[in-house]
Amino acid sequence: TYTTYKITNAIIHYKKNYKENNLLVKQSIIVNLIDSIVSILTLQNTLILVNGEMDNMTGLVIITSFILYGFVLFITIFSFCQNIKYK
C-alpha cells in the first residue's frame, strides 16, 4: 500500500507542477519520482526474499532492476538538460 501511495502521489505532483518555472520545485518532483521507483525495487526484492524464491527469480530481479535504474538514469539526464535550458 505504501509503495502504491508513493507512486500515485509522485505522479499526481508531477502532473500538477510540470509547467512550474521554479527549479527547486522541479527537482523536488524528480526526487519524488526516483524515490517511488526505488520503493518498487525494494518491495519486489523484499517480497521475493520473504517467500524464499530467490533462486528462481534471479533473472527477473536483474531485468527489472536494469529497466528501473535505466528509467532513473533517463529521468536524471532529462531533468539535467532541462535545468541547463532554464539557466
Side-chain angles (χ1 to χ4, degrees):
T1 305
Y2 182 67
T3 302
T4 306
Y5 168 76
K6 285 179 84 166
I7 294 167
T8 306
N9 194 21
I11 292 172
I12 288 171
H13 286 296
Y14 180 78
K15 291 287 186 181
K16 281 184 180 179
N17 299 317
Y18 179 71
K19 305 238 186 235
E20 184 71 35
N21 288 331
N22 189 351
L23 190 60
L24 187 60
V25 172
K26 282 190 172 277
Q27 292 303 317
S28 174
I29 293 168
I30 298 300
V31 167
N32 283 338
L33 281 173
I34 291 174
D35 185 40
S36 66
I37 292 171
V38 171
S39 74
I40 292 171
L41 284 175
T42 304
L43 177 65
Q44 174 190 346
N45 290 332
T46 302
L47 289 175
I48 289 172
L49 288 175
V50 165
N51 291 327
E53 299 286 330
M54 190 60 182
D55 296 334
N56 300 333
M57 298 290 202
T58 305
L60 176 69
V61 170
I62 291 170
I63 291 170
T64 55
S65 296
F66 180 73
I67 290 170
L68 291 177
Y69 284 131
F71 189 60
V72 167
L73 184 64
F74 172 75
I75 290 172
T76 305
I77 291 172
F78 182 73
S79 67
F80 181 71
C81 291
Q82 279 188 337
N83 291 342
I84 289 174
K85 254 199 295 190
Y86 284 117
K87 288 184 179 184

